[in-house]
Amino acid sequence: MAHLFVVMYENDAERKRVEYLIDKWSNRVRVSKVKGISFIVDSPDVSEFAEELLSKLDPPTEGKVRVYSIKPEDIGSKVTPRRVEIERLTKEEPAVVAKLLRYILSKFGAYYVSSEGSVSKYMAYTKKGRLEITVSVEEEGGETAVRVLVEGYGSAVEDMAKKIERELSLLL
């Protein structure tokens, strides 16, 4: 069964990542990029539209127009983001731990997005996918509690969590 994917990208880097993915998967599944112009006509009968469309094309028109019946498919219910949470307690001061985490995340290509209180958000783009990383550093009962949530799709989540876990175990 064929599936039509419509991807709205926001910048050239995002488009290139999608193009790379298509190239990567083209030896596993049959992927064909649409050439020409593609659009969706939402109507139970498209014969009048198709007739007028064919009248606008130069002959021969055979094979120039392909029409597929499609129905939207919600992949969000089938593919959910993966989440890995890392928790640590340490005797180090919260400011020192926060600085250490900024260093670790920058080492792995994550960049700062925003903060609210003791919670900071980061983004990272790896070869295996995009990740959202949420970091919380709080003092709890004389110790510093560190919580790192790595969220995204595919094996990138587990890979990044292992790297962060390894660095934290070495440095804390």
Side-chain angles (χ1 to χ4, degrees):
M1 172 186 277
H3 291 82
L4 172 67
F5 280 74
V6 178
V7 179
M8 275 74 77
Y9 50 84
E10 301 213 3
N11 55 48
D12 201 43
E14 200 171 26
R15 180 192 60 78
K16 286 179 183 178
R17 288 193 297 271
V18 172
E19 293 281 343
Y20 172 77
L21 178 72
I22 291 168
D23 290 342
K24 176 182 165 187
W25 275 82
S26 64
N27 63 356
R28 293 189 230 174
V29 296
R30 199 173 93 211
V31 178
S32 56
K33 290 194 257 181
V34 179
K35 292 181 176 127
I37 184 171
S38 56
F39 49 89
I40 296 172
V41 175
D42 194 355
S43 171
D45 182 20
V46 294
S47 56
E48 276 187 66
F49 177 82
E51 185 176 355
E52 189 170 340
L53 173 65
L54 289 169
S55 75
K56 304 295 182 196
L57 300 174
D58 294 334
T61 57
E62 297 82 34
K64 282 190 175 179
V65 178
R66 292 183 183 164
V67 180
Y68 300 92
S69 286
I70 60 171
K71 65 179 174 92
E73 191 171 329
D74 181 17
I75 62 170
S77 62
K78 295 177 184 176
V79 182
T80 56
R82 294 181 183 186
R83 299 169 57 115
V84 175
E85 193 164 345
I86 302 165
E87 292 187 8
R88 289 260 180 183
L89 284 175
T90 182
K91 301 273 186 213
E92 297 291 335
E93 292 292 318
V96 172
V97 174
K99 189 173 184 178
L100 176 68
L101 279 166
R102 283 193 301 272
Y103 164 73
I104 291 171
L105 292 173
S106 69
K107 181 177 173 178
F108 297 130
Y111 61 91
Y112 174 80
V113 175
S114 66
S115 288
E116 189 173 308
S118 62
V119 177
S120 298
K121 294 191 181 284
Y122 295 82
M123 293 286 289
Y125 290 95
T126 71
K127 290 181 181 178
K128 295 184 178 184
R130 179 185 58 83
L131 301 166
E132 295 176 21
I133 303 167
T134 305
V135 175
S136 169
V137 179
E138 297 174 322
E139 189 163 339
E140 289 182 3
E143 291 187 309
T144 301
V146 179
R147 290 179 189 83
V148 180
L149 174 64
V150 183
E151 209 171 358
Y153 295 92
S155 64
V157 176
E158 287 82 9
D159 290 349
M160 181 64 80
K162 284 178 187 174
K163 289 177 182 178
I164 294 170
E165 183 84 53
R166 184 176 55 244
E167 290 291 320
L168 286 175
S169 66
L170 291 172
L171 299 171
L172 288 181

